[in-house]
C-alpha cells in the first residue's frame, strides 16, 4: 500500500488512495502503536472508500467486512461491502449482503438494482428480473416488461 503514496493517475493528478497509502507508513509491527486496520471505524471507512475508488475492491472488502461486523445495523457500509464483493467477482457474498441490506432497508432501490445485476451475472436472469423491476419502481423509473 505504501507504494501508492507517490502514485499518479494518467492525467497527472495524485491517486485517490494516496493518503491511505501514507497512513500505512505509520503501521507498527508490535511497538504498541495500532496498525491502521485496528484504527477507528471512521478511519477504516475512509480508507475502504479510497480503496474502492481506486478499484482495490478485494482490499476494500476486507476492511468493510470488519466494519460491518462491528456495526451490523448500518446499511451504508454493508452496501459498499456488497459492491466491493460484486466488483471483485465474489457474487455469492455480494448477493448475501444485498439481501441483508434489503431486509434492513426495503426501499433502498440501489440494493435492489445491485441484487438484480448480481443475479444476472450468476446466470439467474429470471430471478433477477423481479429485482430489477422493483429497483425501477423504487427509483421512479418504470421499466416495461
Amino acid at each position: 500500500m505504501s507504494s501508492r503514496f507517490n502514485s499518479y493517475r494518467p492525467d497527472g493528478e495524485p491517486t485517490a488512495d494516496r493518503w491511505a497509502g501514507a497512513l500505512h507508513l505509520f503501521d507498527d509491527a508490535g511497538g504498541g502503536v495500532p496498525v491502521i486496520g485496528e484504527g477507528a471505524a471512521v478511519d477504516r471507512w475512509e480508507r475502504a472508500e479510497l480503496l474502492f475508488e481506486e478499484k482495490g475492491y478485494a482490499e476494500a472488502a476486507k476492511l468493510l467486512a470488519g466494519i460491518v461486523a462491528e456495526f451490523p445495523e448500518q446499511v451504508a457500509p454493508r452496501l459498499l461491502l456488497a459492491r466491493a464483493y460484486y466488483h471483485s467477482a465474489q457474487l455469492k457474498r455480494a448477493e448475501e449482503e444485498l439481501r441483508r441490506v434489503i431486509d434492513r432497508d426495503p426501499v433502498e432501490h440501489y440494493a435492489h438494482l445491485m441484487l438484480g445485476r448480481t443475479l444476472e451475472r450468476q446466470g439467474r436472469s429470471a430471478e433477477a428480473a423481479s429485482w430489477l423491476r422493483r429497483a425501477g419502481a423504487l427509483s421512479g423509473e418504470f421499466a416495461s416488461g
Side-chain angles (χ1 to χ4, degrees):
M1 183 61 130
S2 60
S3 63
R4 290 188 179 182
F5 180 67
N6 290 317
S7 63
Y8 292 87
R9 297 187 320 221
D11 65 2
E13 292 295 317
T15 58
D17 72 339
R18 182 175 189 195
W19 298 115
L23 291 173
H24 182 72
L25 297 173
F26 299 103
D27 288 357
D28 186 9
V33 178
V35 296
I36 188 68
E38 297 172 355
V42 69
D43 295 333
R44 289 180 284 138
W45 168 254
E46 289 173 356
R47 186 172 184 202
E49 285 181 314
L50 291 172
L51 287 167
F52 186 90
E53 239 179 83
E54 288 297 316
K55 301 182 180 177
Y57 303 121
E59 293 171 347
K62 289 176 188 173
L63 282 174
L64 290 162
I67 294 169
V68 166
E70 195 174 338
F71 303 98
E73 72 286 349
Q74 295 294 319
V75 172
R78 192 174 294 276
L79 185 56
L80 189 58
L81 174 59
R83 292 177 62 203
Y85 283 150
Y86 176 86
H87 288 296
S88 61
Q90 300 178 61
L91 301 178
K92 283 292 188 187
R93 287 181 172 178
E95 178 184 349
E96 291 168 6
E97 291 303 326
L98 289 164
R99 290 184 187 279
R100 289 182 184 122
V101 168
I102 292 168
D103 285 346
R104 285 171 174 74
D105 188 355
V107 296
E108 174 54 66
H109 77 276
Y110 191 70
H112 289 267
L113 175 66
M114 284 295 302
L115 181 55
R117 297 288 183 235
T118 301
L119 294 169
E120 282 181 332
R121 273 184 75 182
Q122 294 179 65
R124 296 159 59 189
S125 297
E127 189 179 350
S130 67
W131 292 102
L132 295 173
R133 279 193 302 273
R134 286 183 208 145
L138 290 169
S139 70
E141 298 172 15
F142 299 101
S144 62

